[in-house]
Amino acid sequence: MNITDKITELKEQKNALILAHYYQRPEVQEIADYVGDSYYLSKVAKDSPNKMIIFCGVKFMAESAKILSPNKTVLLPASDAGCPMADMASSEPLAALKKQHPDAAVVCYINSTAEVKAECDVCVTSSNALSIIRKLPNKKIIFLPDKNLGEFIAKQIPEKEFILWNGFCITHKKVTPDSIKELKAIKKDALVLTHPECESAVRDLSDFIGSTGEIISYAKKSKASDFIIVTEQGVLHQLKKENPDKNFYVPGNTMTCINMKKTCLEDIYECLKYESNSIELDEELRLKALTSLENMHKYVG
């Protein structure tokens, strides 16, 4: 019996649900019950009848699932899969910043720790951040941890004042305007689809800027055949799967998140077998963090 069959057998025995982020290895995406972005997967975990969730992603994602589903067992196969950007923000300096700007709404990107979410008024994703912040009554916004996503939103809402945390995604930061220009010189008709976590000089070269899910949707609907994908290259698996007649390219060789690639099939098998790497949260902290996620629903709805 190969590793895939072993995982499938264990999953059925334990009535477990396997979730994988778009940035995971192709073989991990293939064995998952659902593939998507972090918040979508957390909602799937919450709404599913399964009591055990295997979350193939990074820690903040599994934490979000646990915040929304406290009575479920949420397991993270690669226990050391973290998010450097999420770790760039912490609750104590945020609390100090809030005191300096008591009239500001505190908005956190979902790529943040449970401790940070607990200090925030509302949590957002890259796809709903613009819509939610526009609806907030506050004229001043503290946005963290990603300054690039914050800049992207701030430019579209000039009537509001943004105080941006100095955080960033180390993977998206690596891509340079020159690497896109070099690829564009070869593939002249290719459309550049970019994640807003990229820096402004990169975003300025883009034909479309959007979340991972929005990039996939745009490529699927577009009549173009060539695309330069400026986000973590794990998304190429879904893009190629849904668009076999289209061509996808990444700039340079920089678009790989080492943390997203830590999860292997062996990790999933071990995690299922031993029910290891369980995500546990203090209940007071979980409830505070839950408020920011519930407020996201309020404004999206």
Side-chain angles (χ1 to χ4, degrees):
M1 187 182 293
N2 63 32
I3 188 76
T4 302
D5 292 336
K6 288 180 180 178
I7 290 170
T8 302
E9 183 179 73
L10 267 178
K11 182 184 76 168
E12 290 172 358
Q13 284 176 9
K14 302 199 174 191
N15 191 28
L17 187 72
I18 300 177
L19 307 178
H21 192 273
Y22 285 127
Y23 295 165
Q24 291 288 297
R25 296 168 182 264
E27 62 270 24
V28 171
Q29 293 187 46
E30 282 301 305
I31 205 168
D33 297 294
Y34 293 89
V35 179
D37 62 23
S38 57
Y39 187 65
Y40 164 75
L41 294 175
S42 294
K43 268 190 61 60
V44 169
K46 178 178 180 291
D47 296 339
S48 78
N50 307 74
K51 295 300 183 184
M52 181 180 291
I53 309 297
I54 312 300
F55 209 121
C56 304
V58 295
K59 188 178 179 183
F60 81 78
M61 298 178 183
E63 278 187 346
S64 294
K66 186 67 175 181
I67 290 166
L68 291 168
S69 307
N71 298 322
K72 295 184 179 182
T73 299
V74 179
L75 306 178
L76 181 66
S79 61
D80 61 340
C83 173
M85 177 169 67
D87 293 339
M88 289 176 191
S90 54
S91 56
E92 287 186 14
L94 175 56
L97 186 61
K98 286 167 63 175
K99 286 182 180 178
Q100 294 174 34
H101 304 279
D103 55 337
V106 186
V107 181
C108 66
Y109 190 19
I110 196 164
N111 299 38
S112 55
T113 64
E115 287 79 9
V116 165
K117 286 183 177 74
E119 288 285 342
C120 294
D121 297 309
V122 61
C123 184
V124 298
T125 69
S126 52
S127 59
N128 66 27
L130 180 63
S131 171
I132 288 175
I133 293 173
R134 274 194 172 129
K135 292 176 184 176
L136 294 175
N138 310 66
K139 295 299 182 184
K140 187 184 287 187
I141 307 293
I142 294 173
F143 187 88
L144 73 161
D146 184 22
K147 64 179 180 181
N148 294 312
L149 176 59
E151 283 175 357
F152 175 67
I153 296 162
K155 285 181 181 178
Q156 298 174 76
I157 316 177
E159 66 274 17
K160 297 200 177 192
E161 177 188 350
F162 281 75
I163 300 146
L164 302 177
W165 199 269
N166 192 29
F168 56 89
C169 168
I170 62 171
T171 301
H172 287 94
K173 186 178 175 63
K174 288 176 186 175
V175 67
T176 65
D178 285 346
S179 64
I180 295 172
K181 290 174 184 175
E182 287 169 8
L183 192 47
K184 186 80 172 173
I186 301 167
K187 301 294 177 181
K188 292 181 172 56
D189 295 329
L191 297 181
V192 180
L193 313 185
T194 302
H195 198 284
E197 287 179 23
C198 292
E199 295 185 331
S200 60
V202 172
R203 297 196 305 269
D204 290 345
L205 296 172
S206 306
D207 295 290
F208 175 77
I209 301 169
S211 68
T212 313
E214 288 170 336
I215 286 172
I216 293 171
S217 177
Y218 186 95
K220 191 171 184 177
K221 292 174 183 175
S222 174
K223 293 180 180 178
S225 57
D226 291 347
F227 301 89
I228 297 170
I229 304 299
V230 194
T231 191
E232 212 283 341
Q233 62 188 40
V235 74
L236 295 182
H237 181 66
Q238 288 297 320
L239 283 166
K240 291 174 181 177
K241 196 173 175 180
E242 295 186 22
N243 306 277
D245 298 327
K246 295 180 180 180
N247 304 306
F248 301 97
Y249 310 92
V250 292
N253 56 359
T254 60
M255 302 304 290
T256 300
C257 172
I258 57 172
N259 281 284
M260 281 290 190
K261 297 299 186 280
K262 284 182 176 177
T263 306
C264 300
L265 293 179
E266 289 76 12
D267 296 317
I268 299 171
Y269 173 71
E270 295 287 324
C271 188
L272 266 168
K273 185 176 181 179
Y274 300 108
E275 300 183 17
S276 53
N277 305 334
S278 178
I279 299 293
E280 304 295 337
L281 294 172
D282 173 79
E283 182 61 8
E284 184 180 355
L285 172 67
R286 188 194 71 81
L287 289 171
K288 286 180 179 178
L290 178 63
T291 300
S292 67
L293 288 168
E294 287 179 333
N295 284 341
M296 172 167 25
H297 283 296
K298 171 183 158 185
Y299 284 105
V300 168

